[in-house]
Amino acid sequence: MAARTHLTVILVLLVSVTVLSWYLGTGGGAHPMAPNLTISAAVLFIALLKVRLIMSEFMDVGTAPAWVRRASNAWLVLFFAALFMVHIAVSGG
Amino acid sequence: MTLAVTTANGPGGSGTETGHGAGRPRVAAADHGAMWVYIVGDLFIFGGWFVFYLVYRAGEHTVFAESQAHLSQTMGLINTIILLVSSWLVALCVNAARARSYDEAARYAWLTILCGAVFAATKLYEWTSNIAEGRSFTSNDFFMFYYFLTAIHLFHVLCGFIVLGVLVRTLRTPALRSQGVIENCAAYWHMVDLLWVVIFALVYLLR
């Protein structure tokens, strides 16, 4: 029962931040697609948080071999850093 | 692949317990082996495509922003919630299997398949709506990426139906039951969910 409650709490958190991300990205469904670096950074950060939660709480990556933990952490750092930098370069240009 | 079932609190079980289902038979994620190789490889391949997407977006920012406005962000939100719920269901399935509640686990697996089917149906509806309004793969670079990324992802969802079919069969057939197979199938479906989370952020929401 404790595990089920834990997983459900994680789901509620994931859905909550997803709705927040949608609200930020669309301005509450109004589709204002004007470039906005702050909102884009928040959307990317929320995606990063969700991926991390899915990996650690649903996939049990924490119990995986060391190379898997290193590779998944490297993926998170490498690609989200690249995504942030490319997007900042575009929006700041 | 042979996977050993361990008991988290039992001999040899040290280092495998995560707090979920402590004391129950389980397979350490360390035993997933080949499935982890596939998942990590797929993550890096998709990661490369995600970076390519943003580089192209950098070169054609106006086209991408205008094209993105034609997508239904609300449909993207619904798709995301469906996959998050499916990921939760498959995690509950694994949890039930660890407790040897195989009938309950099979019910969760079927509900996961149902979520996957709803996701695929909404994705096909979204595609046909866009195509009917003249936005196809060849319209511009944004829609090339949109169809490419969502199609490759949908292909993973369709493969996921096979994987989840194996999961149901494993749960329903006592002679075939293997906690390792069960957890491998679940890990694949979590990867499908995880990739969609990034696609939703990049293609639907980024401004």
Side-chain angles (χ1 to χ4, degrees):
Chain A
M1 184 60 77
R4 185 186 301 191
T5 304
H6 175 81
L7 293 170
T8 304
V9 168
I10 297 300
L11 173 70
V12 170
L13 182 59
L14 286 168
V15 171
S16 300
V17 295
T18 298
V19 173
L20 173 63
S21 172
W22 167 83
Y23 184 83
L24 290 172
T26 64
H31 296 275
M33 290 301 173
N36 187 312
L37 183 58
T38 307
I39 287 179
S40 293
V43 165
L44 283 175
F45 178 77
I46 289 171
L48 172 65
L49 175 70
K50 286 158 65 181
V51 169
R52 191 74 179 86
L53 275 174
I54 292 167
M55 281 182 169
S56 63
E57 305 301 323
F58 285 171
M59 293 178 84
D60 278 350
V61 166
T63 65
W67 75 266
V68 175
R69 293 198 301 275
R70 281 196 293 269
S72 59
N73 285 333
W75 185 82
L76 282 170
V77 171
L78 185 68
F79 286 107
F80 275 92
L83 297 180
F84 273 109
M85 286 195 304
V86 170
H87 193 69
I88 286 169
V90 175
S91 302
Chain B
M1 179 168 46
T2 303
L3 298 169
V5 176
T6 63
T7 302
N9 288 343
S14 60
T16 63
E17 187 177 346
T18 62
H20 305 169
R24 291 168 178 167
R26 56 165 302 169
V27 168
D31 295 334
H32 287 228
M35 182 56 85
W36 281 124
V37 174
Y38 174 79
I39 288 172
V40 169
D42 227 23
L43 287 179
F44 274 85
I45 291 168
F46 266 90
W49 288 332
F50 295 153
V51 173
F52 265 123
Y53 170 81
L54 277 193
V55 169
Y56 269 79
R57 195 176 192 275
E60 303 175 57
H61 192 266
T62 304
V63 171
F64 272 56
E66 287 175 357
S67 301
Q68 185 187 18
H70 290 294
L71 297 183
S72 169
Q73 277 70 28
T74 304
M75 186 70 85
L77 171 70
I78 293 167
N79 277 331
T80 307
I81 292 174
I82 290 169
L83 280 192
L84 288 173
V85 169
S86 75
S87 217
W88 169 71
L89 286 167
V90 89
L92 290 178
C93 169
V94 169
N95 191 55
R98 285 173 184 167
R100 295 198 175 96
S101 301
Y102 294 110
D103 287 342
E104 182 188 2
R107 282 196 294 276
Y108 286 131
W110 276 115
L111 287 171
T112 306
I113 291 171
L114 178 64
C115 285
V118 173
F119 176 89
T122 56
K123 190 50 60 195
L124 291 175
Y125 171 77
E126 195 182 338
W127 282 350
T128 52
S129 299
N130 274 306
I131 291 168
E133 292 173 18
R135 296 184 286 272
S136 67
F137 184 85
T138 55
S139 293
N140 58 37
D141 283 344
F142 173 82
F143 280 104
M144 179 191 73
F145 272 106
Y146 162 74
Y147 285 108
F148 175 72
L149 289 173
T150 55
I152 291 289
H153 180 266
L154 187 61
F155 175 73
H156 282 68
V157 172
L158 298 179
C159 291
F161 289 140
I162 297 170
V163 171
L164 292 172
V166 171
L167 174 61
V168 170
R169 186 163 181 263
T170 303
L171 292 166
R172 287 286 187 208
T173 314
L176 295 177
R177 277 177 196 149
S178 155
Q179 193 66 18
V181 171
I182 292 166
E183 303 208 8
N184 278 340
C185 294
Y188 177 89
W189 193 258
H190 291 312
M191 180 197 70
V192 168
D193 176 33
L194 186 156
L195 291 172
W196 178 258
V197 161
V198 185
I199 292 172
F200 176 57
L202 294 184
V203 177
Y204 288 78
L205 296 180
L206 208 61
R207 288 164 58 181

